[in-house]
Amino acid sequence: DAGITQSPRHKVTETGTPVTLRCHQTENHRYMYWYRQDPGHGLRLIHYSYGVKDTDKGEVSDGYSVSRSKTEDFLLTLESATSSQTSVYFCAISAEPYNEQFFGPGTRLTVL
Amino acid sequence: AQKITQTQPGMFVQEKEAVTLDCTYDTSDQSYGLFWYKQPSSGEMIFLIYQGSYDEQNATEGRYSLNFQKARKSANLVISASQLGDSAMYFCAIGTDNMLTFGGGTRLMVKP
């Protein structure tokens, strides 16, 4: 199994609070991704990174920011959480953009 | 923009029979990859199979094969000899521009 961990695995927070999710990899892969999964929508890309300090927006980036200061860590921040951001968040990694992506176990976030 | 359509929200198959899960895609890119992922009830995303747009042979991985028809823009997943453990959500995805775009998924249920 690819070495990808996500923390926390579960989080309940209140509207308006900041939240940071962490993705950590031990594979030294260049590309890292954050997705959200909601019923009826499959997985949608939030942001991705193609190297340290190199990031770009995905399909549903509004309300989210990311940072990558080290190859192994990719952080997703919700500056002020809203109930519409209640979702399951997956991190993924890949060695090259057209290679298969390997996914972390997911983080279930509930915003009350 | 890329689009993936999975028209079968749910399917049943008898154990030991073969099943085909449909996937059609739309892209203006000439170079792309097609992926299938499995998501069991435990929630993890498992990579199954990959097909490159320039690959002339259909991809196979064990009991999984990808029926790639480029002119029709379809990339159907065929699972041979279904097993009870194949019961899961299945997602088709297209890879272009450093990212994957996922379809809404098909829930497969294998009957004993």
Side-chain angles (χ1 to χ4, degrees):
Chain A
D1 290 343
I4 314 168
T5 56
Q6 293 183 230
S7 58
R9 294 292 314 279
H10 302 271
K11 187 171 182 66
V12 179
T13 191
E14 295 188 350
T15 298
T17 59
V19 176
T20 295
L21 308 183
R22 179 181 183 240
C23 177
H24 179 78
Q25 60 145 330
T26 58
E27 304 297 319
N28 201 36
H29 282 353
R30 179 181 173 191
Y31 292 84
M32 298 186 75
Y33 308 81
W34 277 108
Y35 293 89
R36 61 179 288 174
Q37 183 176 29
D38 305 292
H41 288 279
L43 282 86
R44 293 180 292 175
L45 181 67
I46 305 171
H47 282 280
Y48 69 97
S49 169
Y50 47 97
V52 173
K53 299 191 188 305
D54 292 322
T55 64
D56 206 347
K57 295 179 179 180
E59 178 187 357
V60 290
S61 59
D62 287 348
Y64 302 94
S65 63
V66 290
S67 65
R68 191 170 179 198
S69 59
K70 299 185 290 185
T71 298
E72 57 266 34
D73 290 327
F74 192 32
L75 303 181
L76 177 71
T77 298
L78 292 66
E79 299 291 347
S80 178
T82 67
S83 58
S84 65
Q85 293 176 312
T86 292
S87 187
V88 179
Y89 291 86
F90 284 97
C91 173
I93 64 173
S94 69
E96 296 295 334
Y98 291 105
N99 284 18
E100 62 269 27
Q101 294 182 11
F102 297 100
F103 284 77
T107 294
R108 184 173 295 276
L109 176 68
T110 302
V111 183
L112 302 176
Chain B
Q2 280 58 243
K3 185 176 181 181
I4 290 279
T5 302
Q6 295 181 253
T7 57
Q8 307 152 312
M11 289 187 68
F12 284 95
V13 64
Q14 198 68 42
E15 190 179 10
K16 300 181 184 178
E17 292 185 349
V19 63
T20 298
L21 307 183
D22 295 340
C23 173
T24 58
Y25 61 92
D26 190 20
T27 181
S28 56
D29 292 344
Q30 296 302 308
S31 180
Y32 51 88
L34 295 156
F35 302 81
W36 277 92
Y37 285 84
K38 173 184 178 182
Q39 187 177 41
S41 58
S42 52
E44 71 268 32
M45 292 288 290
I46 302 168
F47 166 73
L48 294 179
I49 196 167
Y50 163 81
Q51 177 87 38
S53 59
Y54 294 114
D55 294 340
E56 295 185 355
Q57 299 284 335
N58 284 344
T60 61
E61 289 287 348
R63 294 186 299 110
Y64 304 108
S65 61
L66 199 153
N67 184 2
F68 181 46
Q69 298 186 47
K70 194 170 183 177
R72 298 181 60 187
K73 294 190 173 181
S74 74
N76 298 339
L77 177 70
V78 180
I79 305 174
S80 63
S82 297
Q83 303 172 354
L84 295 178
D86 294 333
S87 293
M89 283 290 292
Y90 288 82
F91 293 96
C92 180
I94 184 169
T96 64
D97 297 331
N98 296 338
M99 63 183 75
L100 293 185
T101 301
F102 285 81
T106 294
R107 181 172 297 282
L108 178 66
M109 291 153 282
V110 181
K111 297 187 292 184

mmCIF file of all heavy atoms in Angstrom, chain B residues 1-41:
data_model
loop_
_atom_site.group_PDB
_atom_site.id
_atom_site.type_symbol
_atom_site.label_atom_id
_atom_site.label_comp_id
_atom_site.label_asym_id
_atom_site.label_seq_id
_atom_site.Cartn_x
_atom_site.Cartn_y
_atom_site.Cartn_z
ATOM 1 N N ALA B 1 -13.022 21.540 -20.760
ATOM 2 C CA ALA B 1 -13.325 20.793 -19.548
ATOM 3 C C ALA B 1 -13.614 19.332 -19.901
ATOM 4 O O ALA B 1 -14.103 19.031 -20.984
ATOM 5 C CB ALA B 1 -14.518 21.404 -18.834
ATOM 6 N N GLN B 2 -13.267 18.478 -18.943
ATOM 7 C CA GLN B 2 -13.488 17.051 -19.134
ATOM 8 C C GLN B 2 -14.778 16.626 -18.454
ATOM 9 O O GLN B 2 -15.196 17.212 -17.459
ATOM 10 C CB GLN B 2 -12.330 16.280 -18.506
ATOM 11 C CG GLN B 2 -11.086 16.221 -19.353
ATOM 12 C CD GLN B 2 -10.544 17.590 -19.718
ATOM 13 O OE1 GLN B 2 -10.505 17.945 -20.888
ATOM 14 N NE2 GLN B 2 -10.148 18.357 -18.702
ATOM 15 N N LYS B 3 -15.397 15.575 -18.979
ATOM 16 C CA LYS B 3 -16.627 15.076 -18.381
ATOM 17 C C LYS B 3 -16.651 13.550 -18.457
ATOM 18 O O LYS B 3 -16.276 12.971 -19.472
ATOM 19 C CB LYS B 3 -17.853 15.650 -19.091
ATOM 20 C CG LYS B 3 -19.166 15.256 -18.437
ATOM 21 C CD LYS B 3 -20.338 15.928 -19.132
ATOM 22 C CE LYS B 3 -21.653 15.548 -18.474
ATOM 23 N NZ LYS B 3 -22.823 16.163 -19.146
ATOM 24 N N ILE B 4 -17.090 12.938 -17.369
ATOM 25 C CA ILE B 4 -17.251 11.496 -17.305
ATOM 26 C C ILE B 4 -18.704 11.198 -16.960
ATOM 27 O O ILE B 4 -19.254 11.790 -16.019
ATOM 28 C CB ILE B 4 -16.343 10.873 -16.227
ATOM 29 C CG1 ILE B 4 -14.879 10.952 -16.630
ATOM 30 C CG2 ILE B 4 -16.760 9.436 -15.945
ATOM 31 C CD1 ILE B 4 -14.426 9.883 -17.588
ATOM 32 N N THR B 5 -19.309 10.277 -17.696
ATOM 33 C CA THR B 5 -20.699 9.906 -17.442
ATOM 34 C C THR B 5 -20.788 8.411 -17.157
ATOM 35 O O THR B 5 -20.342 7.591 -17.953
ATOM 36 C CB THR B 5 -21.584 10.255 -18.645
ATOM 37 O OG1 THR B 5 -21.486 11.655 -18.923
ATOM 38 C CG2 THR B 5 -23.043 9.919 -18.349
ATOM 39 N N GLN B 6 -21.358 8.101 -16.008
ATOM 40 C CA GLN B 6 -21.646 6.712 -15.655
ATOM 41 C C GLN B 6 -23.162 6.618 -15.513
ATOM 42 O O GLN B 6 -23.728 7.167 -14.579
ATOM 43 C CB GLN B 6 -20.932 6.322 -14.366
ATOM 44 C CG GLN B 6 -19.419 6.339 -14.500
ATOM 45 C CD GLN B 6 -18.720 5.936 -13.223
ATOM 46 O OE1 GLN B 6 -18.125 6.757 -12.520
ATOM 47 N NE2 GLN B 6 -18.772 4.650 -12.902
ATOM 48 N N THR B 7 -23.802 5.964 -16.442
ATOM 49 C CA THR B 7 -25.259 6.014 -16.541
ATOM 50 C C THR B 7 -25.975 5.000 -15.660
ATOM 51 O O THR B 7 -27.198 5.059 -15.529
ATOM 52 C CB THR B 7 -25.695 5.781 -17.993
ATOM 53 O OG1 THR B 7 -25.171 4.528 -18.426
ATOM 54 C CG2 THR B 7 -25.188 6.889 -18.890
ATOM 55 N N GLN B 8 -25.233 4.086 -15.063
ATOM 56 C CA GLN B 8 -25.850 3.045 -14.244
ATOM 57 C C GLN B 8 -25.627 3.370 -12.766
ATOM 58 O O GLN B 8 -24.572 3.095 -12.239
ATOM 59 C CB GLN B 8 -25.224 1.682 -14.556
ATOM 60 C CG GLN B 8 -25.229 1.300 -16.019
ATOM 61 C CD GLN B 8 -24.066 0.379 -16.344
ATOM 62 O OE1 GLN B 8 -22.936 0.651 -15.962
ATOM 63 N NE2 GLN B 8 -24.321 -0.695 -17.061
ATOM 64 N N PRO B 9 -26.613 3.931 -12.083
ATOM 65 C CA PRO B 9 -26.395 4.242 -10.664
ATOM 66 C C PRO B 9 -26.241 2.987 -9.811
ATOM 67 O O PRO B 9 -25.514 2.999 -8.813
ATOM 68 C CB PRO B 9 -27.643 5.030 -10.275
ATOM 69 C CG PRO B 9 -28.639 4.764 -11.335
ATOM 70 C CD PRO B 9 -27.886 4.407 -12.577
ATOM 71 N N GLY B 10 -26.931 1.888 -10.206
ATOM 72 C CA GLY B 10 -26.834 0.660 -9.439
ATOM 73 C C GLY B 10 -27.049 -0.539 -10.344
ATOM 74 O O GLY B 10 -27.803 -0.481 -11.316
ATOM 75 N N MET B 11 -26.335 -1.635 -10.019
ATOM 76 C CA MET B 11 -26.453 -2.854 -10.813
ATOM 77 C C MET B 11 -26.351 -4.068 -9.901
ATOM 78 O O MET B 11 -25.627 -4.041 -8.895
ATOM 79 C CB MET B 11 -25.319 -2.945 -11.828
ATOM 80 C CG MET B 11 -25.387 -1.966 -12.964
ATOM 81 S SD MET B 11 -24.110 -2.350 -14.160
ATOM 82 C CE MET B 11 -24.710 -3.916 -14.809
ATOM 83 N N PHE B 12 -27.057 -5.126 -10.316
ATOM 84 C CA PHE B 12 -26.918 -6.411 -9.652
ATOM 85 C C PHE B 12 -26.250 -7.391 -10.618
ATOM 86 O O PHE B 12 -26.458 -7.325 -11.834
ATOM 87 C CB PHE B 12 -28.292 -6.973 -9.260
ATOM 88 C CG PHE B 12 -28.896 -6.317 -8.060
ATOM 89 C CD1 PHE B 12 -29.783 -5.268 -8.209
ATOM 90 C CD2 PHE B 12 -28.582 -6.748 -6.779
ATOM 91 C CE1 PHE B 12 -30.354 -4.666 -7.099
ATOM 92 C CE2 PHE B 12 -29.149 -6.155 -5.665
ATOM 93 C CZ PHE B 12 -30.043 -5.103 -5.828
ATOM 94 N N VAL B 13 -25.463 -8.291 -10.068
ATOM 95 C CA VAL B 13 -24.884 -9.366 -10.874
ATOM 96 C C VAL B 13 -24.858 -10.623 -10.013
ATOM 97 O O VAL B 13 -24.663 -10.552 -8.789
ATOM 98 C CB VAL B 13 -23.473 -9.017 -11.377
ATOM 99 C CG1 VAL B 13 -22.475 -8.856 -10.233
ATOM 100 C CG2 VAL B 13 -22.968 -10.063 -12.373
ATOM 101 N N GLN B 14 -25.061 -11.738 -10.652
ATOM 102 C CA GLN B 14 -24.998 -13.015 -9.932
ATOM 103 C C GLN B 14 -23.537 -13.396 -9.736
ATOM 104 O O GLN B 14 -22.691 -13.200 -10.632
ATOM 105 C CB GLN B 14 -25.718 -14.092 -10.739
ATOM 106 C CG GLN B 14 -26.101 -15.333 -9.968
ATOM 107 C CD GLN B 14 -27.166 -15.082 -8.930
ATOM 108 O OE1 GLN B 14 -28.129 -14.373 -9.179
ATOM 109 N NE2 GLN B 14 -26.980 -15.670 -7.752
ATOM 110 N N GLU B 15 -23.249 -13.927 -8.576
ATOM 111 C CA GLU B 15 -21.889 -14.406 -8.289
ATOM 112 C C GLU B 15 -21.422 -15.338 -9.398
ATOM 113 O O GLU B 15 -22.212 -16.140 -9.928
ATOM 114 C CB GLU B 15 -21.888 -15.129 -6.954
ATOM 115 C CG GLU B 15 -20.516 -15.469 -6.407
ATOM 116 C CD GLU B 15 -20.587 -16.172 -5.062
ATOM 117 O OE1 GLU B 15 -21.701 -16.568 -4.650
ATOM 118 O OE2 GLU B 15 -19.536 -16.314 -4.424
ATOM 119 N N LYS B 16 -20.169 -15.193 -9.799
ATOM 120 C CA LYS B 16 -19.479 -15.984 -10.814
ATOM 121 C C LYS B 16 -19.801 -15.561 -12.240
ATOM 122 O O LYS B 16 -19.173 -16.072 -13.180
ATOM 123 C CB LYS B 16 -19.739 -17.491 -10.641
ATOM 124 C CG LYS B 16 -19.274 -18.033 -9.299
ATOM 125 C CD LYS B 16 -19.514 -19.518 -9.182
ATOM 126 C CE LYS B 16 -19.122 -20.018 -7.787
ATOM 127 N NZ LYS B 16 -19.393 -21.471 -7.624
ATOM 128 N N GLU B 17 -20.718 -14.631 -12.419
ATOM 129 C CA GLU B 17 -20.996 -14.131 -13.758
ATOM 130 C C GLU B 17 -20.139 -12.900 -14.046
ATOM 131 O O GLU B 17 -19.616 -12.255 -13.143
ATOM 132 C CB GLU B 17 -22.475 -13.789 -13.910
ATOM 133 C CG GLU B 17 -23.371 -15.011 -13.867
ATOM 134 C CD GLU B 17 -24.817 -14.675 -14.132
ATOM 135 O OE1 GLU B 17 -25.160 -13.477 -14.140
ATOM 136 O OE2 GLU B 17 -25.611 -15.609 -14.324
ATOM 137 N N ALA B 18 -20.040 -12.543 -15.326
ATOM 138 C CA ALA B 18 -19.329 -11.333 -15.731
ATOM 139 C C ALA B 18 -20.286 -10.147 -15.736
ATOM 140 O O ALA B 18 -21.497 -10.304 -15.909
ATOM 141 C CB ALA B 18 -18.712 -11.509 -17.113
ATOM 142 N N VAL B 19 -19.728 -8.961 -15.548
ATOM 143 C CA VAL B 19 -20.539 -7.744 -15.538
ATOM 144 C C VAL B 19 -19.751 -6.621 -16.201
ATOM 145 O O VAL B 19 -18.520 -6.572 -16.111
ATOM 146 C CB VAL B 19 -20.940 -7.359 -14.099
ATOM 147 C CG1 VAL B 19 -19.721 -7.035 -13.244
ATOM 148 C CG2 VAL B 19 -21.933 -6.212 -14.084
ATOM 149 N N THR B 20 -20.482 -5.759 -16.906
ATOM 150 C CA THR B 20 -19.876 -4.603 -17.565
ATOM 151 C C THR B 20 -20.431 -3.326 -16.961
ATOM 152 O O THR B 20 -21.652 -3.136 -16.898
ATOM 153 C CB THR B 20 -20.156 -4.615 -19.080
ATOM 154 O OG1 THR B 20 -19.565 -5.775 -19.662
ATOM 155 C CG2 THR B 20 -19.568 -3.372 -19.730
ATOM 156 N N LEU B 21 -19.544 -2.463 -16.520
ATOM 157 C CA LEU B 21 -19.912 -1.151 -15.994
ATOM 158 C C LEU B 21 -19.573 -0.100 -17.041
ATOM 159 O O LEU B 21 -18.442 -0.040 -17.521
ATOM 160 C CB LEU B 21 -19.160 -0.861 -14.693
ATOM 161 C CG LEU B 21 -19.276 -1.919 -13.593
ATOM 162 C CD1 LEU B 21 -18.553 -1.458 -12.335
ATOM 163 C CD2 LEU B 21 -20.711 -2.251 -13.301
ATOM 164 N N ASP B 22 -20.570 0.716 -17.381
ATOM 165 C CA ASP B 22 -20.414 1.656 -18.481
ATOM 166 C C ASP B 22 -19.751 2.962 -18.056
ATOM 167 O O ASP B 22 -19.980 3.457 -16.944
ATOM 168 C CB ASP B 22 -21.781 1.970 -19.093
ATOM 169 C CG ASP B 22 -22.417 0.759 -19.754
ATOM 170 O OD1 ASP B 22 -21.691 -0.203 -20.079
ATOM 171 O OD2 ASP B 22 -23.645 0.779 -19.956
ATOM 172 N N CYS B 23 -18.975 3.510 -18.969
ATOM 173 C CA CYS B 23 -18.337 4.811 -18.757
ATOM 174 C C CYS B 23 -18.145 5.470 -20.113
ATOM 175 O O CYS B 23 -17.538 4.882 -21.010
ATOM 176 C CB CYS B 23 -16.990 4.638 -18.067
ATOM 177 S SG CYS B 23 -16.008 6.161 -17.930
ATOM 178 N N THR B 24 -18.664 6.659 -20.272
ATOM 179 C CA THR B 24 -18.358 7.462 -21.450
ATOM 180 C C THR B 24 -17.708 8.755 -21.006
ATOM 181 O O THR B 24 -17.920 9.222 -19.883
ATOM 182 C CB THR B 24 -19.610 7.768 -22.287
ATOM 183 O OG1 THR B 24 -20.561 8.455 -21.465
ATOM 184 C CG2 THR B 24 -20.225 6.502 -22.832
ATOM 185 N N TYR B 25 -16.913 9.327 -21.893
ATOM 186 C CA TYR B 25 -16.158 10.511 -21.516
ATOM 187 C C TYR B 25 -16.203 11.534 -22.638
ATOM 188 O O TYR B 25 -16.520 11.206 -23.788
ATOM 189 C CB TYR B 25 -14.713 10.141 -21.165
ATOM 190 C CG TYR B 25 -13.938 9.523 -22.297
ATOM 191 C CD1 TYR B 25 -13.179 10.306 -23.159
ATOM 192 C CD2 TYR B 25 -13.956 8.156 -22.502
ATOM 193 C CE1 TYR B 25 -12.461 9.741 -24.195
ATOM 194 C CE2 TYR B 25 -13.246 7.579 -23.529
ATOM 195 C CZ TYR B 25 -12.507 8.363 -24.381
ATOM 196 O OH TYR B 25 -11.795 7.799 -25.408
ATOM 197 N N ASP B 26 -15.865 12.742 -22.277
ATOM 198 C CA ASP B 26 -15.792 13.816 -23.256
ATOM 199 C C ASP B 26 -14.575 14.658 -22.936
ATOM 200 O O ASP B 26 -14.422 15.128 -21.797
ATOM 201 C CB ASP B 26 -17.063 14.672 -23.209
ATOM 202 C CG ASP B 26 -17.133 15.636 -24.376
ATOM 203 O OD1 ASP B 26 -16.446 15.399 -25.379
ATOM 204 O OD2 ASP B 26 -17.865 16.636 -24.278
ATOM 205 N N THR B 27 -13.718 14.829 -23.909
ATOM 206 C CA THR B 27 -12.539 15.669 -23.763
ATOM 207 C C THR B 27 -12.089 16.126 -25.134
ATOM 208 O O THR B 27 -12.297 15.426 -26.117
ATOM 209 C CB THR B 27 -11.397 14.911 -23.065
ATOM 210 O OG1 THR B 27 -10.270 15.789 -22.916
ATOM 211 C CG2 THR B 27 -10.965 13.690 -23.852
ATOM 212 N N SER B 28 -11.470 17.286 -25.172
ATOM 213 C CA SER B 28 -10.891 17.777 -26.425
ATOM 214 C C SER B 28 -9.392 17.492 -26.485
ATOM 215 O O SER B 28 -8.756 17.766 -27.502
ATOM 216 C CB SER B 28 -11.140 19.283 -26.566
ATOM 217 O OG SER B 28 -10.615 19.958 -25.437
ATOM 218 N N ASP B 29 -8.842 16.948 -25.392
ATOM 219 C CA ASP B 29 -7.417 16.613 -25.372
ATOM 220 C C ASP B 29 -7.150 15.359 -26.193
ATOM 221 O O ASP B 29 -7.991 14.444 -26.253
ATOM 222 C CB ASP B 29 -6.937 16.386 -23.936
ATOM 223 C CG ASP B 29 -6.937 17.661 -23.127
ATOM 224 O OD1 ASP B 29 -7.002 18.762 -23.739
ATOM 225 O OD2 ASP B 29 -6.864 17.582 -21.892
ATOM 226 N N GLN B 30 -5.979 15.319 -26.809
ATOM 227 C CA GLN B 30 -5.589 14.142 -27.586
ATOM 228 C C GLN B 30 -4.903 13.103 -26.718
ATOM 229 O O GLN B 30 -4.956 11.912 -27.007
ATOM 230 C CB GLN B 30 -4.655 14.560 -28.728
ATOM 231 C CG GLN B 30 -5.310 15.486 -29.753
ATOM 232 C CD GLN B 30 -6.533 14.843 -30.376
ATOM 233 O OE1 GLN B 30 -6.488 13.720 -30.867
ATOM 234 N NE2 GLN B 30 -7.654 15.551 -30.342
ATOM 235 N N SER B 31 -4.259 13.581 -25.656
ATOM 236 C CA SER B 31 -3.549 12.682 -24.753
ATOM 237 C C SER B 31 -4.242 12.686 -23.399
ATOM 238 O O SER B 31 -4.382 13.739 -22.766
ATOM 239 C CB SER B 31 -2.091 13.125 -24.616
ATOM 240 O OG SER B 31 -1.391 12.268 -23.739
ATOM 241 N N TYR B 32 -4.655 11.514 -22.959
ATOM 242 C CA TYR B 32 -5.354 11.420 -21.688
ATOM 243 C C TYR B 32 -5.266 9.985 -21.187
ATOM 244 O O TYR B 32 -4.842 9.077 -21.911
ATOM 245 C CB TYR B 32 -6.823 11.854 -21.816
ATOM 246 C CG TYR B 32 -7.581 11.182 -22.932
ATOM 247 C CD1 TYR B 32 -8.234 9.961 -22.736
ATOM 248 C CD2 TYR B 32 -7.635 11.760 -24.196
ATOM 249 C CE1 TYR B 32 -8.907 9.343 -23.760
ATOM 250 C CE2 TYR B 32 -8.306 11.143 -25.232
ATOM 251 C CZ TYR B 32 -8.947 9.948 -25.014
ATOM 252 O OH TYR B 32 -9.623 9.341 -26.044
ATOM 253 N N GLY B 33 -5.645 9.796 -19.950
ATOM 254 C CA GLY B 33 -5.683 8.467 -19.366
ATOM 255 C C GLY B 33 -7.060 8.192 -18.801
ATOM 256 O O GLY B 33 -7.762 9.104 -18.365
ATOM 257 N N LEU B 34 -7.437 6.939 -18.813
ATOM 258 C CA LEU B 34 -8.721 6.525 -18.250
ATOM 259 C C LEU B 34 -8.461 5.556 -17.106
ATOM 260 O O LEU B 34 -7.621 4.662 -17.226
ATOM 261 C CB LEU B 34 -9.590 5.896 -19.326
ATOM 262 C CG LEU B 34 -9.993 6.893 -20.415
ATOM 263 C CD1 LEU B 34 -10.334 6.186 -21.695
ATOM 264 C CD2 LEU B 34 -11.136 7.770 -19.936
ATOM 265 N N PHE B 35 -9.160 5.765 -16.017
ATOM 266 C CA PHE B 35 -8.912 5.021 -14.784
ATOM 267 C C PHE B 35 -10.232 4.482 -14.229
ATOM 268 O O PHE B 35 -11.284 5.102 -14.392
ATOM 269 C CB PHE B 35 -8.302 5.938 -13.710
ATOM 270 C CG PHE B 35 -7.019 6.601 -14.112
ATOM 271 C CD1 PHE B 35 -7.016 7.732 -14.907
ATOM 272 C CD2 PHE B 35 -5.804 6.104 -13.670
ATOM 273 C CE1 PHE B 35 -5.821 8.357 -15.263
ATOM 274 C CE2 PHE B 35 -4.616 6.724 -14.014
ATOM 275 C CZ PHE B 35 -4.630 7.841 -14.815
ATOM 276 N N TRP B 36 -10.123 3.359 -13.552
ATOM 277 C CA TRP B 36 -11.241 2.845 -12.768
ATOM 278 C C TRP B 36 -10.775 2.633 -11.332
ATOM 279 O O TRP B 36 -9.674 2.103 -11.097
ATOM 280 C CB TRP B 36 -11.762 1.530 -13.328
ATOM 281 C CG TRP B 36 -12.719 1.706 -14.460
ATOM 282 C CD1 TRP B 36 -12.426 1.739 -15.793
ATOM 283 C CD2 TRP B 36 -14.137 1.869 -14.364
ATOM 284 N NE1 TRP B 36 -13.567 1.916 -16.524
ATOM 285 C CE2 TRP B 36 -14.640 1.993 -15.677
ATOM 286 C CE3 TRP B 36 -15.046 1.909 -13.292
ATOM 287 C CZ2 TRP B 36 -16.005 2.158 -15.954
ATOM 288 C CZ3 TRP B 36 -16.380 2.075 -13.554
ATOM 289 C CH2 TRP B 36 -16.850 2.193 -14.882
ATOM 290 N N TYR B 37 -11.652 3.049 -10.396
ATOM 291 C CA TYR B 37 -11.398 2.869 -8.980
ATOM 292 C C TYR B 37 -12.573 2.154 -8.340
ATOM 293 O O TYR B 37 -13.712 2.313 -8.764
ATOM 294 C CB TYR B 37 -11.204 4.224 -8.275
ATOM 295 C CG TYR B 37 -9.877 4.880 -8.546
ATOM 296 C CD1 TYR B 37 -9.681 5.643 -9.689
ATOM 297 C CD2 TYR B 37 -8.822 4.736 -7.657
ATOM 298 C CE1 TYR B 37 -8.459 6.246 -9.943
ATOM 299 C CE2 TYR B 37 -7.593 5.342 -7.897
ATOM 300 C CZ TYR B 37 -7.433 6.086 -9.041
ATOM 301 O OH TYR B 37 -6.215 6.684 -9.285
ATOM 302 N N LYS B 38 -12.277 1.420 -7.290
ATOM 303 C CA LYS B 38 -13.284 0.714 -6.506
ATOM 304 C C LYS B 38 -13.338 1.333 -5.115
ATOM 305 O O LYS B 38 -12.283 1.609 -4.523
ATOM 306 C CB LYS B 38 -12.906 -0.759 -6.404
ATOM 307 C CG LYS B 38 -13.763 -1.599 -5.473
ATOM 308 C CD LYS B 38 -13.207 -3.031 -5.404
ATOM 309 C CE LYS B 38 -14.004 -3.905 -4.456
ATOM 310 N NZ LYS B 38 -13.428 -5.276 -4.372
ATOM 311 N N GLN B 39 -14.545 1.542 -4.613
ATOM 312 C CA GLN B 39 -14.693 2.041 -3.247
ATOM 313 C C GLN B 39 -15.630 1.123 -2.485
ATOM 314 O O GLN B 39 -16.851 1.207 -2.618
ATOM 315 C CB GLN B 39 -15.224 3.482 -3.229
ATOM 316 C CG GLN B 39 -15.233 4.077 -1.831
ATOM 317 C CD GLN B 39 -15.698 5.529 -1.804
ATOM 318 O OE1 GLN B 39 -16.635 5.909 -2.495
ATOM 319 N NE2 GLN B 39 -15.037 6.352 -1.004
ATOM 320 N N PRO B 40 -15.095 0.217 -1.682
ATOM 321 C CA PRO B 40 -15.961 -0.653 -0.865
ATOM 322 C C PRO B 40 -16.636 0.143 0.241
ATOM 323 O O PRO B 40 -16.357 1.332 0.431
ATOM 324 C CB PRO B 40 -14.973 -1.689 -0.303
ATOM 325 C CG PRO B 40 -13.623 -1.098 -0.452
ATOM 326 C CD PRO B 40 -13.682 -0.056 -1.521
ATOM 327 N N SER B 41 -17.500 -0.529 0.981
ATOM 328 C CA SER B 41 -18.263 0.161 2.027
ATOM 329 C C SER B 41 -17.360 0.724 3.115
ATOM 330 O O SER B 41 -17.751 1.652 3.832
ATOM 331 C CB SER B 41 -19.293 -0.786 2.632
ATOM 332 O OG SER B 41 -18.664 -1.924 3.156
#
